[in-house]
Amino acid sequence: MITRLDAPLKVTGQAKYGADHHFPGMAYGYVVLSTIAHGEIEAMDFSAAREAPGVVGVYSPFDPLEMRTATSPLFGDTWVPLQDKEVTYYGQPIGFVVAETFEQARDAASLVNVAYRPLPAKTSLTEGLATAEDAPPARDGAPPTLEVLADGIESIDDAFAASPVVVEATYTTATQNHAAMEPHSAVAVWDDGELTVYSGNQASNLQAMELASALDLELTAVHCVNPFVGGAFGGKGRTSAPAFLAAAASRSLDRPVKAALTREQVFTATAGRAATVQTIKLGAERDGSLVALSHDSWCSTDAARSFVEPTSHGTSREWYATQNLAISQKIVPLNIPPTTFMRAPGEAPGSFALESAVDELAVALGMDPIELRIRNNSTAPPGKDLQWSSKHLDECFRIGAQRFGWAHRPPGTRTEGDWLVGMGVATAMFPALRFPATVGITLHADDTADVATSGADPGTGLLTVLSLVGAESLDIPAERITPRLGDSALPPGGLSGGSTATASAGTAIMIAAVKAIDELVALAADPGAPFEGHEVTYADGRVFADGRSMSFGELLRAVGRESLEVTGSSAPGEELTKHSFSSWGAQFCEVRVHRLTREARVSRMLGVFDSGRIINDKAARSQIMGGMIWGVSAALHEGLEIEANGRFANGDFASYLLPVNADIPEVDVHFVEYPDTLHNAVGARGLGEIGTVGMAAAVANAVYNATGTRVRHIPITIEDLLED
């Protein structure tokens, strides 16, 4: 059975990532970062750097590289470094030093002196709440404030006034960094006016578009390659500063240039997840039926207001059946690094708040938290007529409760030696999306086939999916499929993000396979072909007619062809007018808190998920487990601390806490598998991100069950659990 085609290359070190590419005469670039959060650069003294050994080029806003603002159809404008003297955050790329070796470039960069005209900086989300702004409309056009009211109800306040039981609380989540294992890097090479860039990113064709626009080139003159990506999670969707700088410097110097951020630089010279403040109010009947739900959210964003973390819109807008709903989303512009998509953007931090609040309502009602969630299960998003195409969340909870031993969860504290033990649960949900994608299929005369698209595989298993879906669609063994991706020269596969890759590329594969088979059948019956004038059929990689058969390779050889090439494209379409689409899950967690030290440790996790058809069980489990571990990390470990001057106090792997093996116990994953062919022909829905949704809340709810202490912020620390 095929599990991960890329595994042997990765575990043996043969997989070449962006920075692994080397070329004769290559120079090395080092990025210079700002040391203030807000102001203007008055001068940059590069004299000592220019005289340093090995230096071949220095660049700054005073001596800029030839570039302009980049743009792409998906992201719009993307910031390009060194184009002006304004500084809007601590750690902003403001200079670039190129030398014969990395060490020489790094050492020379340390000699650069920068004079600033400092301006007041806003770095605190809490202090900025008073001047928050309405968020811009969401990508689907939804306004920042939405309200759904039952007939006869004039306001959300009236709905709460009519609710027998009401709970209200404010929850906060911390700023995070993607912390991918592979730092952002790029190797740029020019040849006769054409550019090739090797760089880990989530969409080689989109990166090619951004580089072409930034460098004023025709798209055909830019070639981007990313066959292996060492983690991305949304942080490598847009072109990075090293890619822009390496490409432009390589053109200026007429030699290959490699640029790679150090681990510390990754924390500021790239984008991260926003911090959030969320106030949730729930009103319910005494039987647990929701009467009203309000969810007001604030998130940090950079000075350019480049991204919104849609916590209220990503959760409360759709998760539960309620007669009355009011949500709002505001932004707080700060002098901090840009924010962007990070695994389950909106849903991950939003679910911590919503699912903690639902747990608090269960306590107030004296009701089992699972029963409360099932009672308020939605058949469609509140205020919408489009029902879910497929939803088996109740089954996820029932199976999960049985497998996890939920019936043995005590109403109060349970102790095992010096440990207080508690269980928590939460709902997980992530929208089932598709992006436009094109896949090429090439049938060869040796009875093999290529399945190719420009899409990326940042550890998600897409390479193997191409092989498996391609084999199924062409009705041949997977061993005869050669999957190809990560190259902008291939058919455009779209962004590997939003948990869309399998559904998007898989549907395009099926369309391309039908075209390939149709062309084979027609070719077999052409004049002079082996089955001229006969009705031809196809199965098992063979064409059949007149009581005879031959493989497609034999047919191609018989007609003098080396290959047959087709492409297939898919995009979201009419189905969006008929149904709502989402993946679902139930998260279970057991936590132990030491009665003396108040150390909290997760001891068991179980996730039960309804994500449609599972194409590759091992890879799917790996994705879900990674997401669940991410949720534990958010709950107990991760959080960037921003000093008043805008500097990240813990912007490195030594002090930015991430879980290690000792922090992660048994992780159990179960799939409730119902193929969703209303969503796409493959029947698969996204699962790359849903694994992290709800897990932080499940941890916090388990901590409450163990200790009786309700912590409404993450990460939860020992100090939060110390008794007065």
Side-chain angles (χ1 to χ4, degrees):
M1 176 185 174
I2 295 178
T3 52
R4 287 293 293 260
L5 293 177
D6 51 341
L9 293 175
K10 289 182 175 178
V11 300
T12 58
Q14 298 178 71
K16 292 185 72 173
Y17 293 82
D20 291 332
H21 291 81
H22 299 275
F23 296 92
M26 188 165 68
Y28 297 79
Y30 193 89
V31 181
V32 179
L33 305 181
S34 68
T35 55
I36 65 168
H38 190 206
E40 184 177 350
I41 304 170
E42 293 187 327
M44 295 182 72
D45 183 358
F46 280 95
S47 56
R50 286 192 175 93
E51 298 300 320
V55 172
V56 297
V58 295
Y59 307 96
S60 74
F62 299 93
D63 186 14
L65 288 159
E66 187 180 345
M67 288 188 289
R68 61 185 186 182
T69 299
T71 188
S72 69
L74 183 61
F75 295 124
D77 290 345
T78 292
W79 181 81
V80 174
L82 314 191
Q83 300 308 294
D84 59 57
K85 302 177 183 66
E86 183 183 14
V87 174
T88 59
Y89 61 92
Y90 194 111
Q92 175 182 317
I94 59 172
F96 192 54
V97 177
V98 184
E100 298 292 347
T101 70
F102 170 80
E103 290 78 11
Q104 289 174 333
R106 178 197 61 198
D107 293 348
S110 69
L111 302 176
V112 177
N113 289 315
V114 184
Y116 301 99
R117 182 174 68 86
L119 295 171
K122 298 179 180 179
T123 59
S124 169
L125 173 59
T126 302
E127 294 176 4
L129 292 177
T131 57
E133 307 170 1
D134 283 341
R139 286 182 173 267
D140 64 358
T145 300
L146 282 172
E147 195 170 73
V148 176
L149 298 175
D151 291 341
I153 301 296
E154 294 187 0
S155 71
I156 193 70
D157 291 336
D158 289 346
F160 283 116
S163 301
V165 180
V166 176
V167 297
E168 181 178 12
T170 296
Y171 307 86
T172 62
T173 66
T175 302
Q176 295 179 343
N177 185 267
H178 297 80
M181 291 181 67
E182 176 198 24
H184 296 64
S185 65
V187 175
V189 184
W190 288 81
D191 182 17
D192 195 24
E194 295 188 353
L195 169 68
T196 299
V197 172
Y198 303 86
S199 177
N201 63 82
Q202 293 174 243
S204 58
N205 65 310
L206 292 179
Q207 185 186 63
M209 291 179 187
E210 292 188 328
L211 286 169
S213 65
L215 297 166
D216 195 19
L217 297 170
E218 294 294 329
L219 183 59
T220 54
V222 180
H223 181 205
C224 292
V225 184
N226 63 337
F228 297 98
V229 183
F233 318 112
K236 295 176 182 174
R238 289 180 165 177
T239 302
S240 65
F244 284 124
L245 294 170
S250 177
R251 178 166 63 177
S252 174
L253 297 169
D254 194 24
R255 60 189 292 188
V257 171
K258 176 188 290 188
L261 297 179
T262 66
R263 180 60 64 187
E264 292 85 352
Q265 288 178 328
V266 168
F267 279 84
T268 62
T270 66
R273 194 196 294 278
T276 76
V277 175
Q278 304 171 61
T279 296
I280 294 184
K281 190 173 183 179
L282 301 176
E285 302 287 357
R286 298 201 179 276
D287 67 356
S289 301
L290 281 175
V291 175
L293 189 164
S294 70
H295 188 166
D296 298 315
S297 295
W298 297 260
C299 73
S300 59
T301 188
D302 61 319
R305 299 158 175 79
S306 59
F307 184 76
V308 178
E309 188 79 25
T311 44
S312 56
H313 286 54
T315 53
S316 295
R317 183 183 176 189
E318 297 185 331
W319 283 30
Y320 290 109
T322 181
Q323 304 169 46
N324 303 280
L325 173 70
I327 61 175
S328 69
Q329 180 70 60
K330 292 182 180 294
I331 57 174
V332 180
L334 299 173
N335 296 113
I336 59 173
T339 57
T340 191
F341 305 96
M342 185 182 289
R343 198 171 197 166
E347 288 83 6
S351 64
F352 167 69
L354 178 59
E355 291 303 289
S356 294
V358 171
D359 199 70
E360 295 203 49
L361 178 60
V363 172
L365 291 166
M367 191 173 186
D368 183 276
I370 293 179
E371 181 184 348
L372 177 61
R373 287 172 169 84
I374 291 177
R375 182 175 295 275
N376 292 287
N377 192 12
S378 66
T379 58
K384 292 186 179 181
D385 296 328
L386 300 182
Q387 294 194 337
W388 302 113
S389 61
S390 176
K391 183 179 183 182
H392 302 275
L393 181 58
D394 288 9
E395 187 173 345
C396 292
F397 275 116
R398 287 195 298 270
I399 291 174
Q402 183 177 11
R403 289 173 68 107
F404 204 67
W406 186 259
H408 304 297
R409 175 182 185 262
T413 300
R414 178 175 117 229
T415 60
E416 293 184 9
D418 284 334
W419 296 89
L420 310 177
V421 184
M423 292 184 186
V425 72
T427 296
M429 175 184 170
F430 193 81
L433 307 171
R434 276 203 298 147
F435 289 152
T438 300
V439 173
I441 290 181
T442 303
L443 303 180
H444 295 286
D446 62 358
D447 282 315
T448 64
D450 293 348
V451 178
T453 186
S454 69
D457 186 347
T460 56
L462 179 59
L463 190 75
T464 308
V465 166
L466 296 183
S467 177
L468 294 174
V469 178
E472 178 181 275
S473 302
L474 292 171
D475 205 8
I476 61 176
E479 293 77 13
R480 286 163 53 189
I481 297 286
T482 300
R484 299 173 59 208
L485 49 63
D487 189 323
S488 63
L490 298 173
L495 179 73
S496 182
S499 300
T500 63
T502 296
S504 302
T507 304
I509 290 171
M510 297 178 73
I511 293 170
V514 170
K515 292 174 66 175
I517 292 169
D518 287 346
E519 290 197 20
L520 274 176
V521 168
L523 183 64
D526 278 349
F531 301 120
E532 178 182 354
H534 292 281
E535 183 177 341
V536 182
T537 60
Y538 176 93
D540 299 323
R542 304 179 70 83
V543 288
F544 296 81
D546 193 29
R548 296 177 295 134
S549 75
M550 58 197 320
S551 70
F552 68 74
E554 291 171 333
L555 172 63
L556 291 174
R557 294 195 298 272
V559 298
R561 296 271 297 268
E562 289 295 321
S563 63
L564 184 155
E565 297 183 27
V566 300
T567 60
S569 299
S570 74
E574 189 180 49
E575 74 276 6
L576 299 179
T577 66
K578 297 180 179 179
H579 295 281
S580 298
F581 300 98
S582 183
S583 290
W584 312 91
Q587 301 273 30
F588 293 82
C589 180
E590 181 184 81
V591 168
R592 296 166 185 263
V593 178
H594 197 278
R595 66 181 183 86
L596 299 176
T597 67
R598 313 309 283 182
E599 171 190 9
R601 300 190 67 84
V602 173
S603 49
R604 283 193 300 139
M605 290 187 285
L606 166 66
V608 184
F609 296 94
D610 169 23
S611 293
R613 180 187 173 196
I614 305 301
I615 304 299
N616 184 342
D617 186 78
K618 181 175 288 188
R621 290 177 185 278
S622 176
Q623 281 287 289
I624 290 292
M625 289 173 67
M628 293 170 69
I629 292 168
W630 191 310
V632 172
S633 184
L636 299 177
H637 301 82
E638 286 188 69
L640 282 166
E641 299 172 12
I642 304 175
E643 297 177 340
N645 66 354
R647 175 182 174 272
F648 286 161
N650 58 334
D652 56 63
F653 269 8
S655 47
Y656 182 73
L657 298 183
L658 294 165
V660 296
N661 282 354
D663 296 306
I664 303 301
E666 170 191 347
V667 183
D668 189 12
V669 176
H670 180 80
F671 292 112
V672 177
E673 194 168 352
Y674 295 90
D676 188 352
T677 54
L678 294 175
H679 181 247
N680 64 85
V682 180
R685 295 197 303 262
L687 55 75
E689 295 172 86
I690 193 174
T692 195
V693 181
M695 181 48 70
V699 173
N701 294 340
V703 166
Y704 173 80
N705 182 239
T707 65
T709 299
R710 177 70 66 181
V711 183
R712 298 187 178 95
H713 64 258
I714 52 175
I716 299 169
T717 67
I718 288 175
E719 291 82 354
D720 297 320
L721 302 176
L722 290 174
E723 296 177 344
D724 294 333

